[in-house]
Structure formats: C-alpha cells, structure tokens
Amino acid sequence: MTFQSIKRPSPLRFLPGSRAARAAFVALAAATVVASSPADAQHSGGQMHQYPISPAQAEPQTQHLGKFDRDIVYDAGRRELFETGISRLVLRNSQNSEVRLLAETVIEDHGYATAKLRKVLDPLGFEGATELYPDQQSELEQMKGLRGEAFDRAYMDAITQTHVLSVGFFEQLSSKAQNPELRQAASEVLPRVKHHLAMMQDLKQRVPR
C-alpha cells in the first residue's frame, strides 16, 4: 500500500484590517492573559508579579518617616550635635569640676539617645542631621577661643538655652510621633533629657558671673 504525499497547507497570511487578523489577535491576547494570571504567577517561582504588592509585603527600605517625624528628628539631631560639640570643648577649656562633670554626663547620655534613635532610623534608611545650623557653628567657633570662667559662663548659657528646645522636641516625639517605634524610643530617652535640663539650670545659677 502506498501513501500519497500529503501537501502541507501554506501559512496563513493576514492582511491588515482583515477579519482573520482581528480574530487571531483576540485569541493571542486571551492566551497571554491566561498565562499571566495571578495563580500562574504565584506558581512560577515568584518571577512574575502581575498583581499589586500589599504594604505589608513591601521591603522595609520602602517605608518612610512622615514629615512631622522627619522635621523634629532633623532639628533634634542638630541640637544634639551642638550640645555634644560644646561639651567636648569643656574637657579642654574648663577647670570647673562641676561643669566638666555635666559635660561628661551630656556626652555619655547623648550617646545613649543616639543609639536608641538610630535603632529605629537605620532600618528606614533615614540618615538624619549631619551638620550644625550656621548660627550653631558660629557659636561653637567663638567658644573655642574662651577659657576659664568666661568659657564656663558661655557654655552654661548655650547648653541651657538649646536644651530647653531639646526637651520640647523629645516631648513631641514621645507623644505625637507618627512612627510608633520612634515614639517609644523618644519616651525612653525623655527622662534623661529632662534630668539634664534640671542639672543645667541648677549649675547655671552657681557658675561665677
């Protein structure tokens, strides 16, 4: 028995705008939708994400602080840099043991506060303040040239004035911060910040004028 060769049909050729072309396009589009459905995407090793990702699934780096939190953290950070900077000058320029003890306490506790806040801010990719305000930098430079009682007076005036604002910032963060972890960290730091202010106000009255 012999078989006659079967003639292969020639490929279909669709003219632009033809009914056959439109039908083929619709069929192709339908097949694409089915292949990329959420169910298939989930079973393809996670390589296809044709559906939105919920906030809970987002990477931590995509989460950001709100403007309220950002503004206060920036300002508090600059004041922290200033207080730490002028307190380090005390160890070089002052001979008053009480002023030096206050400065050492400020430096140590600012390290504690920074560690608490960075634990919240670092996972968010939030750097915070890295430099002083221009007026703070100018005041710091002026204090570098002072010694003795003149320095002690300048230090106590500057540290007390800026620390009143620092207490206010931490009070706001501890009660109104939009980020709950930041709110908790500020609540843990606030008692130390208030204690510093009490120490400063007391000592300021006893520094010779």
Side-chain angles (χ1 to χ4, degrees), residues 106-172:
V106 169
I107 293 170
E108 179 180 351
D109 284 358
H110 271 310
Y112 167 82
T114 298
K116 284 285 186 182
L117 295 181
R118 291 317 321 170
K119 188 175 181 180
V120 178
L121 300 175
D122 285 347
L124 302 176
F126 186 82
E127 184 176 4
T130 57
E131 58 184 15
L132 300 175
Y133 288 120
D135 61 327
Q136 292 175 324
Q137 185 64 49
S138 176
E139 188 170 4
L140 179 63
E141 293 300 324
Q142 291 176 7
M143 291 181 64
K144 287 181 179 179
L146 300 176
R147 297 291 187 279
E149 292 181 354
F151 175 84
D152 294 340
R153 287 193 298 270
Y155 172 72
M156 293 309 306
D157 288 344
I159 196 79
T160 303
Q161 182 180 11
T162 192
H163 206 74
V164 169
L165 295 174
S166 294
V167 170
F169 290 139
F170 277 97
E171 284 178 336
Q172 290 186 66

Side-chain angles (χ1 to χ4, degrees), residues 4-69:
Q4 295 180 348
S5 61
I6 300 175
K7 185 177 181 181
R8 296 178 181 272
S10 59
L12 294 177
R13 296 181 181 177
F14 302 122
L15 297 177
S18 70
R19 182 177 300 175
R22 289 195 297 271
F25 178 81
V26 171
L28 178 60
T32 302
V33 171
V34 171
S36 60
S37 66
D40 287 344
Q42 289 177 324
H43 292 292
S44 63
Q47 296 180 358
M48 295 177 61
H49 295 288
Q50 302 295 331
Y51 49 97
I53 299 176
S54 69
Q57 295 173 303
E59 292 295 330
Q61 289 80 359
T62 66
Q63 308 300 318
H64 301 287
L65 290 179
K67 186 178 186 304
F68 177 84
D69 293 359

Side-chain angles (χ1 to χ4, degrees), residues 90 94-105 152 155-156 199 202-203 206-208:
V90 170
S94 176
Q95 300 301 318
N96 186 308
S97 60
E98 288 187 287
V99 173
R100 291 174 66 89
L101 178 60
L102 172 64
E104 290 171 352
T105 303
D152 294 340
Y155 172 72
M156 293 309 306
M199 291 175 62
D202 175 65
L203 182 55
R206 293 186 282 108
V207 169

